[in-house]
């Protein structure tokens, strides 16, 4: 499952992405007919993964498998996102990286409004 539709820009520290699938009735994270804002944490974690994959590829390698182990400072400005038309815009910034872990800050916007922000940490395993 990949929630982001498009990578808009990226460099060694940041990535910007876009998604339109949050209104899809078949969205894999919907529960009881709704897509709750907590799903934005998964969008943030996937932004990390996409960025890590692009970095690994740029250096001639393969991305390590990762497991989300912590979310910190998460703030949600809405209760649900399936009722928001248009595009979700996400960004993630690499805060710390090592062979065994990565930490990112993420932000998800909709029409200029900040919907979610926080920090996520992933533990890394062998390359995929």
């Amino acid at each position: 499952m990949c929630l982001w539709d498009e990578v808009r820009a990226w460099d060694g520290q940041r990535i910007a992405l876009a998604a339109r699938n949050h209104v899809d009735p078949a969205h894999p994270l919907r529960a009881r007919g709704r897509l709750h804002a907590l799903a934005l944490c998964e969008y943030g974690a996937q932004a990390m993964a996409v960025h890590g994959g692009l970095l690994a590829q740029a250096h001639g390698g393969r991305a390590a498998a990762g497991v989300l182990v912590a979310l910190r400072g998460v703030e949600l400005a809405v209760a649900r996102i399936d009722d928001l038309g248009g595009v979700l815009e996400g960004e993630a910034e690499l805060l710390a990286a090592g062979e065994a872990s990565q930490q990112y800050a993420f932000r998800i916007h909709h029409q200029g409004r900040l919907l979610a922000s926080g920090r996520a940490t992933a533990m890394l395993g062998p390359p995929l």
Side-chain angles (χ1 to χ4, degrees), residues 46-71:
Q46 287 196 15
M48 293 172 58
V50 172
H51 188 253
L54 289 170
L55 285 175
Q57 188 177 41
H59 292 99
R62 298 187 69 182
V67 176
L68 184 64
V69 295
L71 291 168

Side-chain angles (χ1 to χ4, degrees), residues 75-125:
E75 294 187 23
L76 303 173
V78 294
R80 58 190 283 199
I81 59 172
D82 56 295
D83 57 349
L84 302 174
V87 177
L88 294 178
E89 297 175 321
E91 54 190 60
E93 178 182 359
L94 181 62
L95 300 175
E99 288 188 30
S101 66
Q102 296 177 333
Q103 184 181 68
Y104 280 78
F106 67 89
R107 291 167 295 284
I108 315 293
H109 294 85
H110 176 261
Q111 297 180 348
R113 178 181 180 198
L114 181 62
L115 299 180
S117 63
R119 295 181 317 280
T121 303
M123 297 302 291
L124 305 175

Side-chain angles (χ1 to χ4, degrees), residues 22 24-39 79-82:
H22 59 287
D24 184 350
H27 193 288
L29 299 179
R30 272 187 182 251
R32 296 184 200 102
R34 294 182 173 194
L35 184 56
H36 296 276
L38 191 57
R80 58 190 283 199
I81 59 172
D82 56 295

